[in-house]
Amino acid sequence: MNSLTACFTHPSSNFFPWLPSLCSRSSLPQNGAFCLQKHATPMNKPFFSSNFICSKLHPVQASSFDLSPPPIDHDFLETAKTAGAEVSDEGIIETFHNDDEALDAVDNGAVVVDLSHFGRIRVSGEDRIQFLHNQSTANFECLQPGQGCDTVFVTPTARTIDIAHAWVMKNAVTLVVSPVTCRIITEMLNKYIFFADEVEMQDITKQTSFFVLVGPNSNRVMEKLNLGDVVGKPYGTHQHFSVDGLPVTIGVGNIISEGGFSLLMSPGAAPSVWKAILSQGTIPMGSTAWEKLRVIHGRPAPGMELTNEFNVLEANLWNSISLNKGCYKGQETISRLITYNGLKQRLWGIHLSAAAEPGSIITIDGKKVGKLTSYTSGRKQSEHFGLGYIKRNAASEGDNVVVQDSINGIVVEVPFLAMQRPLSERSN
């Protein structure tokens, strides 16, 4: 690729109050690497760079950042189209016509996916931590700025609405949710803000871009981009940077795995960040392949596995649930299910012998034991994968089931659900 006119710097607070006043372009890197700057103090200290020299950072107010859409000549979708992407009328990158290659790179390399169509909600105000603590399943009160977690929004009876990936920042909490639930969750949370609560809700989806990096080579990609500071940190840990003065937040893990990374940024920074990641041999992935990956890895989705029909424990979302915090929405039902061992079914992966329709009945010896909720084909024509709820004690990993009367299936543990740690497996 051509020289990347981008300079990554380390801001020192939530919305990057320290911006570079000038980056020298006299010796731009030819390998696409970012200029990562570190500083012991926020002002009046020189920075170092292995690629080119940048000047000092100067303080500005956090509110001065403009997260409005970028000029047309910085439009990321145009950048993707130039690279061969097929983009829907809704602005979603559907495919780069490399779906099989991208799926293979998830296991053997690294892929980058534009998930900017997913919802982003910014929760601010003095009471934001306590508010989210009371309205979702995770323990927000134990988190510090720079940390993160997964949390689940549920109904009062613990039926699932969506999983949110949360970053606790200095002045706000950023939530990443499904495209189909962003409005629902925002409206639901607004209803629970009482008059005296200092909580503000803002949908920042259209004012930001969001990428995820997945695959075993993700750490190497970050290190080559001089972003090794975030490598090896706990899931949800995030740090703030800037590219050409535009904010970028990079977090450990993503919405499908505890490995890899997530990148939240100003849309103006998106083309530079995307090109730099691709320059390290990363494969681009579209939403069609991403949906296949979601099913193969077992990540539940709203309207499929996350509905009013199933509760959060049946969806096996143990990592998102605090078992020792105070009262919160759905807590009474969750506690009762745990106390009385009341789970009736569980979400499983299923290897299928043929294509099957979501909603199909799952049987064993002619008896109904569950329902298929998602289906996808694999990289080969002979590969078929599904997700489905199966009655407790009716089947376990390795057992045979029948789907849709005649399609054979084998119950399997899938990566996203396998990393969940039930109560019996947790230490004190």
Side-chain angles (χ1 to χ4, degrees), residues 61-96:
Q61 296 299 317
S63 59
S64 67
F65 277 95
D66 180 11
L67 293 180
S68 60
I72 189 66
D73 58 339
H74 288 289
D75 188 272
F76 169 67
L77 291 181
E78 291 302 319
T79 300
K81 288 179 181 178
T82 302
E86 185 175 320
V87 181
S88 71
D89 293 339
E90 293 76 25
I92 301 172
I93 298 176
E94 295 180 335
T95 181
F96 287 91

Side-chain angles (χ1 to χ4, degrees), residues 328-401:
Y328 60 95
K329 186 190 294 184
Q331 185 258 350
E332 183 179 349
T333 299
I334 292 172
S335 296
R336 187 166 58 248
L337 288 170
I338 294 173
T339 300
Y340 297 103
N341 201 14
L343 288 185
K344 297 180 179 179
Q345 54 194 341
R346 207 213 97 166
L347 184 62
W348 287 96
I350 305 173
H351 282 175
L352 300 165
S353 60
E357 287 291 327
S360 299
I361 299 302
I362 301 173
T363 62
I364 295 178
D365 297 330
K367 296 181 180 179
K368 178 183 175 181
V369 296
K371 183 174 76 171
L372 191 73
T373 53
S374 289
Y375 163 79
T376 186
S377 58
R379 294 192 293 271
K380 302 176 182 177
Q381 291 185 349
S382 59
E383 292 180 334
H384 304 276
F385 302 93
L387 294 173
Y389 284 91
I390 299 176
K391 286 183 179 180
R392 184 183 177 188
N393 299 327
S396 58
E397 185 176 7
D399 288 345
N400 296 315
V401 296

Side-chain angles (χ1 to χ4, degrees), residues 25 58 79 83 125 202 262 355 375 423:
R25 300 298 195 270
H58 297 281
T79 300
Q202 182 183 9
S262 302
Y375 163 79
L423 179 63

Side-chain angles (χ1 to χ4, degrees), residues 9-11 13-16 169 238-242 248-250:
T9 62
H10 264 303
S13 81
N14 183 35
F15 279 103
F16 326 112
M169 301 178 178
H238 53 278
Q239 295 185 28
H240 304 303
F241 304 87
S242 68
V248 180
T249 299
I250 300 178

Side-chain angles (χ1 to χ4, degrees), residues 7-11 17-24 35 37-49 52-60 242 245:
C7 177
F8 253 120
T9 62
H10 264 303
W18 312 100
L19 283 178
S21 60
L22 173 69
C23 284
S24 171
C35 169
Q37 298 181 332
K38 301 181 180 180
H39 48 82
T41 59
M43 300 177 58
N44 303 323
K45 293 289 184 180
F47 302 98
F48 66 88
S49 168
F52 63 102
I53 299 174
C54 290
S55 66
K56 304 170 185 177
L57 296 183
H58 297 281
V60 296
S242 68

